[in-house]
Amino acid sequence: MRLYGLKTCDTCRKALKLLSDAEFIDVRSEGVPDIVLSQAFADFGDALLNTRSTTWRGLDEEQRARAPIELLKAHPTLMKRPLIEKDGALSLGWSPETRSKLGVS
């Protein structure tokens, strides 16, 4: 199991606490592999892009108009977190639905 997120993100820390066997990948320093990013965008669409983040607010209109995949590659902190990969399936966020899907409470 892999958890893509930020080490400074409270939600990612909560998820890691309950998913102690997960491999943590800091998207700021390591990024997200292209294949995972493509699959995540196919699964979640625009929901993958966190438009409430400080990074998003710092972008101008021209940058915001870029394709979401391009934006996420250029600014990995724009990704909604955490993105969890388990057995080839992806989960986004740390909702009760995600926790149930992963078998944690």
Side-chain angles (χ1 to χ4, degrees):
M1 180 183 322
R2 289 185 184 89
L3 188 148
Y4 298 91
L6 295 173
K7 61 183 171 187
T8 57
C9 173
D10 289 337
T11 306
C12 291
R13 283 189 234 164
K14 288 177 191 174
L16 274 173
K17 196 179 228 182
L18 290 176
L19 301 172
S20 57
D21 60 335
E23 173 189 357
F24 179 72
I25 295 148
D26 190 326
V27 298
R28 182 176 281 136
S29 60
E30 299 177 50
V32 180
D34 287 348
I35 193 160
V36 174
L37 193 56
S38 296
Q39 181 185 350
F41 188 70
D43 289 355
F44 306 112
D46 288 338
L48 187 61
L49 199 60
N50 184 358
T51 57
R52 296 181 347 180
S53 72
T54 54
T55 304
W56 177 262
R57 289 186 293 237
L59 298 176
D60 61 33
E61 287 303 315
E62 185 178 318
Q63 290 172 310
R64 290 180 184 182
R66 292 170 59 191
I69 293 282
E70 286 180 31
L71 271 173
L72 290 166
K73 285 181 182 180
H75 306 279
T77 57
L78 281 173
M79 184 182 76
K80 192 168 205 166
R81 308 173 293 274
L83 177 65
I84 303 165
E85 177 187 19
K86 180 180 180 186
D87 301 328
L90 295 174
S91 300
L92 184 63
W94 194 238
S95 66
E97 178 184 301
T98 298
R99 292 191 295 273
S100 174
K101 181 178 175 184
L102 297 171
V104 295
S105 45

